[in-house]
Amino acid sequence: MKTNDLILQTVSKVILFLIVLFSLYMFFAGHYHPGGGFVGGLMTSGAIVLMLLAYDIKTVTTILPVDYKKMIAVGLLFAAGTAAGGLLFGVPFLTHAFTYVDLPLLGKTSLHTAVLFDTGVYLVVIGVTMTIIQTIGESE
Amino acid sequence: MNSLIILPILIPLLTGIILIFFSKNIPVQKLISVISSLLMVLSALYLAVAVYQDGIQTMNLSNWEAPFGITLVSDMLSALLVLTTSVIALACLLYSFRSIGKERESFFYYPVFFFLVLGINGAFTTGDIFNLFVFFEVMLMASYVLLVLGGTKIQLRETIKYILVNVISSALFVIAVAYLYSVVGTLNMAHISERISQIGQPGIVTVIAVFFLLVFGIKGAIFPLYFWLPGSYYAPPAPVMAMFGALLTKVGVYSITRTYTLFFYHDTGYTHGLLEILSIFTIIVGVIGAIAYSDVKKIIIYNVIVAVGVILFGVATLTEESLAGSVFYLIHDMIIKAALFLLIGIIVKITGTSSIKKMGGLIHQYPALAWTFFIAALALAGIPPLSGFAGKVLIVRSGLESGNYWGAGIVLLSSLFVLFSVMKIFINVFWGSPRAYRQQEPVPAKWLLAAPAVLTAFAVLYGLGTEALYPIISLAAETLSNPEIYINAVLKE
C-alpha cells in the first residue's frame, strides 16, 4: 500500500525553517549565552534529519548537494586555520583577536575570531552527524 | 616567541585535513604526505636542537599564563620522542606506498595515518593532564580506524576487543583526572607537581598514583593489563602494525614515566615498588610468550611487552642513571620494533604465511632482507655495539646498585630469551632448503626493504654513537629526576 505523507511533509517544511533559525540563533548566542557551535551544529543536522524522515535520501541530496565528508574537512580547516593564524602575527597558537565594529544596521557589534573557530566546530558537527546518518541509511 | 614547538603537531593536523579533499586521488595523496612528513621530521629535528641548546621550550596556548591555559612543554625527552615518532612515521609511510593496497588508500588511509601521528606527537608534547587525555583519544580513534580499515573478519573481531578495552581505560582515565583535580585543583602538570609536593603526597594521592598506573598500564600493556595486545596487534597490515608496535604502547610508557617522575615521587616505597614488581612480571610474561609461539608476528608482539617491562623497570628504580637507561632503551625500542615489524611484513608477504614452520631458505633469494633482519635481531637483544646495549647496561647497573639483584638478573636473562626468540625466526625462516611459495603477484621486496633497512641503519648508528648521544640523553634524564627544572620552565618563577 502506498502511504501518503502529506501532513508530515507539509509540517516539516514549516518546522524546518524554525529549527534552522533556532540553531543559528544558538550558534551566534554562544559567546554570551548557553549555546555555541556544537549544539548549533547538532540542531541544524537535526533539521536535515527531519527532511530525511519526511522525504528520502535522494530528494534531500538534490536539495542539499553537499559532500558531508568534505564539509568535515572544511570545518577542520576553519578551526585549524583560525588557530594557526595567530602564529603569523607572532602570538602563540590559538590566540584570538577581538574588536568592536560599528555596523550600519546592528550598531556596536563585537567581532571575535573565536566565531570563526566556532564556525569550524559547527561545520564539523553537521558533517560528522550527517555522514554517520547517511552512511547507515544507505547501507543495505 | 618560538612557534617551533607547535609544528610537529600542526603539520600532521593540516596534512590530514588537506588529504581528506584528495581522498580519491592517490598519487596526490602520496606526494602531499611525503612532503609533509619530511617537513615534520625537519621541524622535529630543529625542535630537538633548540631544546638541547636553549633548554626546555614552552608555549602557552592562547597566550594565557601557565597554570590557567594549556601549556605545551618540550623537554629533551619529549623532543626526542617526537623526533623518533616523525622518523618512524616517514618510514612506515614509504612502506605503505607499495604494500597497503588501493582499497585502503582510497578510503582515508593517509588522512587517518596523519591523525594518528598528530595524536602521538601531541601526547608527547602536552603539559596539561586533560589535554593529554584528549591527545590520547585522538590517537586511539585514529588507531581504531587503522585497525579496522579493510574490514576482514579478523580485523573486525580484534577491533571490537581493542575498542572495548580502550573505551574502558579512557573512562578510567577521566575518573583518575577527576580525582586528581578534586585533590589538587589544577590540571597543568607542572602546577599539579608543585601542589602535590606542598601537601606531601597523602594517602589519597598514592591511590590516584595507582589509578594512573592502571590507566596507563592498559594503554602501555603492562602485566596484568596486557591481555588485549597480542590479539589486537596481530590483525592489521604490516605498516599499521609497525606504527602500533613502535609508538602506541610507548605513549603509555611515556605517560607512566612522566607521571611517576613528575607527580608521584614522594612515597616511592609503595608506588615505585609496585611498578617494579609489575615491570618484572611484564618482562617474564613477554618472554614466555616470545618463546612459546612459532608465529613470526606473535613473537615480535610479545617482544613489545618485554621492552615495556624493561623500560618501566628503569623508571621504577628512579635514579638518574636508570632513567637515562630507560630513555636510551625507549628510543632504541621504538626504532627497532618499527624495523622488525616492517621486516616481518615483507617475510609474510613473500611466504604468504606467518608460521615459521612453513617457511625456510629465504636467504638464498633475499640475502639483503636476511642480513637486515639479522642485524635488527641482534640490536633488539642488545648485542654491543648495537643500539639495545647501552640502555640495558645502565638499567641493569643501577638495578644492581640499588640492591635489586632479582630484577636486574631477570632483565639480563630476558635478553637471552629475546635473542633466542628472534634467532628462532632467523634460523627457521632464512636458513634451510628453499621452498616454493605461491604468490598471486610479485612482491616489491627491494622497495619495501628500504624503509626497515634505513631504520636498522639508524639503530646501528644509535648504538655506535652512544658516547656522542649520552649528553643529550642525560639531559632528558636530568629533567626527569629533577622535577624543579620542569616546574620552573613552565611556571617561570
Side-chain angles (χ1 to χ4, degrees), chain B residues 21 64 162 229 235 265 276 292 315 337 394 417 445:
Chain B
F21 289 109
W64 287 93
Y162 182 72
L229 184 131
Y265 58 93
E276 192 172 286
V315 174
K337 284 285 147 55
L394 290 173
F417 290 113

Side-chain angles (χ1 to χ4, degrees), chain B residues 398-417:
Chain B
S398 46
L400 290 175
E401 269 170 10
S402 63
N404 193 344
Y405 301 110
W406 272 105
I410 285 171
V411 172
L412 271 182
L413 261 183
S414 76
S415 294
L416 194 65
F417 290 113

Side-chain angles (χ1 to χ4, degrees), chain B residues 144-349:
Chain B
Y144 302 152
V145 178
L146 285 180
L147 187 58
V148 82
L149 194 66
T152 59
K153 200 170 175 185
I154 179 173
Q155 282 180 305
L156 293 174
R157 191 184 66 218
E158 295 304 333
T159 308
I160 287 182
K161 291 184 198 166
Y162 182 72
I163 291 180
L164 202 62
V165 167
N166 277 305
V167 165
I168 291 170
S169 82
S170 296
L172 290 177
F173 193 173
V174 175
I175 295 168
V177 170
Y179 281 149
L180 188 63
Y181 185 70
S182 66
V183 172
V184 296
T186 178
L187 291 170
N188 183 297
M189 277 153 68
H191 205 209
I192 292 173
S193 173
E194 202 181 50
R195 290 264 172 97
I196 289 180
S197 65
Q198 278 166 7
I199 56 175
Q201 194 155 351
I204 182 71
V205 178
T206 305
V207 172
I208 294 168
V210 175
F211 216 112
F212 270 107
L213 185 62
L214 181 74
V215 170
F216 296 135
I218 297 177
K219 314 273 188 199
I222 66 174
F223 174 86
L225 307 165
Y226 68 93
F227 52 86
W228 55 271
L229 184 131
S232 303
Y233 282 20
Y234 193 80
V240 177
M241 200 159 60
M243 287 295 282
F244 283 19
L247 301 175
L248 289 199
T249 51
K250 304 305 181 292
V251 180
V253 172
Y254 164 81
S255 306
I256 293 177
T257 312
R258 185 62 85 196
T259 48
Y260 270 60
T261 54
L262 189 62
F263 300 169
F264 311 117
Y265 58 93
H266 303 281
D267 181 19
T268 53
Y270 188 79
T271 50
H272 290 62
L274 180 67
L275 183 61
E276 192 172 286
I277 294 167
L278 290 182
S279 63
I280 289 170
F281 274 110
T282 310
I283 297 173
I284 294 173
V285 164
V287 159
I288 291 173
I291 298 173
Y293 282 95
S294 57
D295 181 302
V296 282
K297 289 193 207 168
K298 276 267 167 21
I299 292 174
I300 306 296
I301 286 168
Y302 274 99
N303 273 313
V304 172
I305 300 176
V306 178
V308 167
V310 171
I311 297 163
L312 289 182
F313 180 73
V315 174
T317 310
L318 204 67
T319 62
E320 195 159 332
E321 195 182 24
S322 75
L323 287 171
S326 285
V327 177
F328 247 118
Y329 201 77
L330 180 58
I331 292 166
H332 142 78
D333 191 65
M334 289 164 83
I335 298 173
I336 207 71
K337 284 285 147 55
L340 278 171
F341 275 115
L342 295 179
L343 289 167
I344 293 295
I346 303 176
I347 294 172
V348 171
K349 205 150 207 164

Side-chain angles (χ1 to χ4, degrees), chain A residues 69 73 76-77 92-95, chain B residues 6 10 17 21 60-62 108:
Chain A
K69 295 189 203 81
L76 283 172
L77 263 189
F93 191 70
L94 268 172
T95 308
Chain B
I6 193 82
L10 188 61
I17 296 169
F21 289 109
N60 292 324
L61 295 187
S62 309
F108 303 100

